[in-house]
Amino acid sequence: MFTTRPTLQGTFGMVSSTHWLASQSAMAVLEDGGTAYDAAVAGAFVLHVVEPHLNGPAGEVPILLAPAGGEVRVLCGQGVAPAGATIAHYRGLGLDLVPGTGPLAAAVPGAFDAWMLLLRDHGTKSLADVLTYAIGYAEHGHAPVERVGETVESVRELFETEWTSSAEVYLPGGTAPSPGRLLRNPALAATWKRLLAEVPGAGDRVAQIEAARQVWRSGFIAEALVRQARRPTMDNSGERHSGTLTADDLAGWSAAYEAPVTYDWNGWTVCKAGPWSQGPVLLQQLALLPPELPRYGSADYVHLLIEGCKLAMADREAWYGDAAEVPLDELLSDAYNAERRALVGDKASYELRPGAPGGRVPRLSRHARMPAVGDPGFDPMGVGEPTVAKHPTSAVPGEPDVTADGATRGDTCHIDVVDRWGNMVAATPSGGWLQSNPVVPELGFPLGTRLQMSWLDEGLPNSLTPGRRPRTTLTPSIALRDGVPVLAFGTPGGDQQDQWQLHFFLAATLRPAVRGGLDLQGAIDAPNWHNDSFPGSFHPRGMRPGSVTVESRTDPGVIEELRRRGHEVTVGEAWSEGRLCAVARDPETGVLSAAANPRGMQGYAVGR
């Protein structure tokens, strides 16, 4: 089968990420004797530098790790709502939704502490070893991809008039970043160099990592983050607001390990983060599949997956969150899914239909509405993580920017690593985008905006609640065969992540193998699609009932049949759906493999 690239195979180590510099930096750590965990940490900090429009140190990350011979664990790097982030406070400001930008949307930053825990507990390298690549690119510069500059241009007016600390980094001399010209972030490099200078006296490798965590939580980094959060800042409500993050919030939170949620399907066990993420949506979609699937890629097949996704996403909206007990056992039970499966008919559904697991009555936010198909606040080609904090004069504040050809400007990042010992990592870093909040002048990176995913309605599973995690869209995956980790994968894409991952997983596991292993690259390259028939997770939380967006490479007969069934089909560019990464290990032979998404022309797999 023709693919854009080969599925890489080897026995030493494999990395796949959304940027070639992160992939190669992680591979350099493997070559230097590091483990998959050391490599993932190094790659992640490089992603902060080279994809600043997609993630940052003050964002968040869920990490799935599968130690060789051990159990899969979830490392939660999703921070909680600060103590002052109450519904009453936001309502008192005249808000119906948490803003999509600015300090009011900032949760306790989670990414840095999660990476430090991974390095402390599972790595072998020092903090200096893993930070050296990021420091080098921040201090000496890197040639940025086009989309960094395009994103900066889209917020130029905001940076020049309001977020001037961001203009200093990303508009030096009034010029936006461009390919072929080095982009530097000396403030970020200075932050990591100062951090390293403060920790050597702490003791051994582990003690130094612990000291770095304390600097983040209560030292110079914490002090700068709190100062920034308290500065009145223009957000996409059109007003200047101060945030609620305090020193106590930072000092009192830590990343933590937890068990994954799992589902067994067709001989595979798929592991996901819990319902504080949207991870169980992938498992629900698998549970909704009938015993016999239609032919792969047929109209029947695509229709079935679209309609199953709508049901799973409706349950996400009604039941997922960190502010309530989530009835996962019922949501994944055979009886519940047999009943839900019967709702899938021959025609496209335009309804949001959450179920009633265990007889519970679903309740939705009053903003979980059904706008007209022509709602000007929604563009099916601009979905995913919001990447543009538009100036308040924009007609659609907070909506993702869309190019003339319909391509989304980006969303978030992903990295997968497997090493020669069989250790495996899948992680989806996000948040703290350059367009989410102003750059903290002393640090070189901004706060995040993940609280925008919480509702300002009382009593919902995802209601804004101090000390609780907002329900994130970030959702890496690890899949096992006979209890042994085989496949790590994931993608950027906001609400689309577990749609694209399902399509990839089915393509990789149902279609014929190549070279004696999973056809990872073929599964990534296959024409993809998504739907938006549910409330979006990002401000302004719109939805488009009945929508389906497909790549133009999709069989015209399939498109015609979907339309005949009532789907509102938008045909996008040929390579516009998904940014998947994947690595795998054959437990019988020890052969490692990897593949990366060609869409966006920056994701790469490396290995040997």
Side-chain angles (χ1 to χ4, degrees), residues 49-90:
V49 179
V50 300
E51 293 192 323
H53 57 313
L54 307 179
N55 79 136
E60 46 276 326
V61 59
I63 305 169
L64 266 64
L65 56 146
E71 295 185 351
V72 177
R73 300 290 288 169
V74 176
L75 178 48
C76 174
Q78 174 56 64
V80 299
T86 64
I87 290 175
H89 175 65
Y90 288 67

Side-chain angles (χ1 to χ4, degrees), residues 216-239:
W216 179 275
R217 295 157 79 178
S218 58
F220 79 92
I221 294 176
E223 292 168 359
L225 290 172
V226 172
R227 280 196 298 271
Q228 183 64 46
R230 291 302 184 180
R231 290 190 180 107
T233 300
M234 178 68 73
D235 59 39
N236 62 358
S237 72
E239 302 289 338

Side-chain angles (χ1 to χ4, degrees), residues 9 15 37 40 88 109 137 149 175 179 183-184 222 227 286 302 333 351 376 425 439 443 483 512 514 535 544 584 599:
Q9 289 194 321
V15 182
Y37 312 113
Y137 286 124
T175 303
L183 171 61
R184 296 178 174 87
R227 280 196 298 271
L286 289 171
V302 177
S333 69
E351 299 178 65
V425 182
V439 165
L443 303 179
V514 294
R544 188 179 185 230
R599 301 164 179 87

Side-chain angles (χ1 to χ4, degrees), residues 34 45 85 218 584 591 597:
F45 278 90
S218 58
V591 170
N597 174 57

Side-chain angles (χ1 to χ4, degrees), residues 10 18 32 67 83 139 164 206 215 230 252 284 301 366-367 396 451 463 474 489 503 510 596 606:
T18 49
D32 194 43
E139 183 172 23
T164 54
V206 170
V215 171
R230 291 302 184 180
Q284 284 197 251
Y301 178 87
R366 59 195 179 89
H367 285 279
V396 191
L451 289 187
S463 295
L474 309 175
F489 59 101
H503 310 161
L510 293 178
V606 296

